Every structure is written in structure tokens, then in C-alpha cells.
Amino acid sequence: MIELCEVSKRYGGHLAVDRLSLRVERGEIFGFIGPNGAGKTTTLRMLGGILLPDAGDIRIAGIPLSRFPEEAKRRVGFVPDRPALYERLTAREFLEFIARLYGVPRPLFEERAQRLLAEFSLTRHAEAPIGSFSHGMKQRLAFAAALLHAPEALIVDEPLVGLDPLAVRGLKALFRRLAASGVTIFLSTHSLHLAEELCPRIGVIHRGRLVATGSPAALRRRAGDRAVDLEDAFLALVAGDEGEQAAGGAR
């Protein structure tokens, strides 16, 4: 469903993503973890069509994002870590605006908007201006907007920011339901507990390079006997990559 082949992105002299190759299957919840500045958000923005890679190829459902950007982006819902919403619009007006962008027919919009507002506990706030919303409410509205056109893949950057425990529980249940229905979820998070709980497969990125992929159990085995959970495995893999890069630079 999502394919990256030798994808690179540079900001001036800084190589943010370095020849990243990765494949995520339909209906998979894929976790993407790494330290701050590792290249996670840059990768997600390229998947969402917000940034163009400097090299390499990205395909969504087999569609080359560089050649057919509109067709590829129609298959994707994108939830950034800090959603940019039109704060003078009401929640319902914002969803209607998104529906028009994606060409969602009016009767379908009415049904989906009502269902999504209820799903994210926003029904009674539907006519309130977004500027009056808390951060958590804005995050929930961003999810509703991302799902309005029934995407085949959902790209999510730090989904738990600003959400209370009840909303977190609901979001995890939603991810599982979406995956069961065939929606692919590409999930970047600093919450290693969330990744371990939800993601059958996880990729570890460090300094723009994919240093490991596998199930949480496989990552623990790769990290060594001392790794009792994903946090231990993550720290060991990143430290190992630091050592490899330092040794390579010394040669």
C-alpha cells in the first residue's frame, strides 16, 4: 500500500532522510520511531505529499506520488503533530470545506460528518468556532477531517498529543477497526508503549537512516539479551547505530 524506494531529503547541508526504502502492506499498522531530529516528520510529510523528496520514489497504492500527486493524495489521510485548522470556521464548516476539496458528494458528507463528529465526541461542538477548541479537541477534529474522504491509508504524526486517557483509548480502538477494514496506518510516535501495543511491525529511524525493522519481539532479539521491552531495544539499536557511524567516520 505504501512504498518508499531510496527516498532522500536534504535541507541545505543537512541530510534529513537518507535513502529510505520501506514497504507497508494494506491493513497494517506500522510504527515509525526514532529520536528527535531523526527524520520521522520529514518522512511523513513526504508521504502526505507536503514535501517532495530530492531523490527516490514514493508510491501510494501503486500510484507514483511524483507523477500523479492528486490521485495518490486522494488515497491518503494525513494528521500532523500540530494540525493547522481554520479557527474562524465551525467544526462542521471545516469538515464541509475538506469534503469539497476531496469531492465528497453532499449526501455522503452529511452521513460521514455526523458519524465522525460522534466518533470523536464533537457533536455538541459542531457549530462552535474552532478557535474556541482545546488542543485535544482540535486534534480530534483533525482526525475526523483526515477520515472524511474514506482514505485507504492514514498517515499520523504523534497522535496522542493533547488527548486525555478516554480519547487515547478510543483512538487505539479506532486504529484497530480501521486496520481490520483494510486501511493502512503509518504511525510515527514517541510513545514506545503505544507502538508496542498497536504495531505488529516497527521501523527505527536514526539520523535519516532506517536502522531496523521488525516486530517488537524481533527488535528486542536484535538488540540483545538485556532488552526486556521496546524501550530497551530502541535505546540499544540507536546506540549501536551511533557506534557504527562513529567507527565508519574514524576509518
Side-chain angles (χ1 to χ4, degrees), residues 52-81:
L52 294 176
D54 295 322
D57 185 44
I58 297 174
R59 291 175 178 262
I60 307 293
I63 301 168
L65 186 56
S66 60
R67 292 178 57 197
F68 306 103
E70 290 189 9
E71 182 63 25
K73 285 190 280 188
R74 285 184 184 277
R75 310 296 182 98
V76 172
F78 180 63
V79 183
D81 57 341

Side-chain angles (χ1 to χ4, degrees), residues 8 14 53 55 92-93 131 136 140 147 154 161 163 181 184 194 219 232:
S8 296
H14 173 61
R92 181 180 173 81
E93 287 170 342
R140 299 201 305 271
L147 293 170
L154 186 63
V161 175
L163 298 184
S181 71
T184 301
L194 176 70
L219 294 179
D232 290 336

Side-chain angles (χ1 to χ4, degrees), residues 16-249:
V17 176
D18 184 7
R19 294 166 294 172
L20 176 60
S21 293
L22 188 60
R23 181 186 176 96
V24 182
E25 302 298 335
R26 187 176 299 276
E28 182 178 2
I29 305 177
F30 181 80
F32 198 51
I33 62 176
N36 287 333
K40 300 187 302 299
T41 294
T42 295
T43 300
L44 266 65
R45 287 178 176 170
M46 288 191 289
L47 288 175
I50 297 170
L51 293 176
L52 294 176
D54 295 322
D57 185 44
I58 297 174
R59 291 175 178 262
I60 307 293
I63 301 168
L65 186 56
S66 60
R67 292 178 57 197
F68 306 103
E70 290 189 9
E71 182 63 25
K73 285 190 280 188
R74 285 184 184 277
R75 310 296 182 98
V76 172
F78 180 63
V79 183
D81 57 341
R82 290 184 293 273
L85 309 176
Y86 294 102
E87 299 203 343
R88 293 188 179 182
L89 297 180
T90 67
R92 181 180 173 81
E93 287 170 342
F94 180 71
L95 291 180
E96 186 171 2
F97 168 71
I98 297 298
R100 290 181 177 180
L101 284 179
Y102 283 96
V104 178
R106 185 74 190 191
L108 201 53
F109 161 71
E110 295 290 351
E111 183 274 322
R112 288 181 183 171
Q114 182 176 354
R115 174 172 51 82
L116 288 166
L117 287 168
E119 175 87 47
F120 291 101
S121 303
L122 293 170
T123 301
R124 67 188 182 93
H125 305 288
E127 305 305 328
I130 296 170
S132 67
F133 284 12
S134 67
H135 178 82
M137 291 168 66
K138 291 176 180 177
Q139 189 80 353
R140 299 201 305 271
L141 180 60
F143 270 101
L147 293 170
L148 189 61
H149 64 292
E152 297 176 49
L154 186 63
I155 313 298
V156 187
D157 196 1
E158 294 298 342
L160 304 189
V161 175
L163 298 184
D164 61 38
L166 185 61
V168 169
R169 175 182 289 185
L171 192 59
K172 290 190 290 188
L174 174 65
F175 285 159
R176 292 188 177 104
R177 289 200 305 275
L178 289 170
S181 71
V183 176
T184 301
I185 299 173
F186 196 106
L187 172 66
S188 173
T189 180
H190 282 302
S191 174
L192 301 185
H193 295 296
L194 176 70
E196 190 161 24
E197 180 181 353
L198 280 182
C199 304
R201 196 163 61 101
I202 294 169
V204 181
I205 187 172
H206 182 232
R207 293 186 176 178
R209 297 171 54 245
L210 190 68
V211 299
T213 57
S215 68
L219 294 179
R220 290 194 299 271
R221 289 193 298 270
R222 178 168 174 173
D225 295 337
R226 294 183 180 180
V228 298
D229 58 19
L230 183 59
E231 181 178 357
D232 290 336
F234 169 73
L235 294 173
L237 290 166
V238 168
D241 186 61
E242 290 274 8
E244 287 181 16
Q245 292 195 39

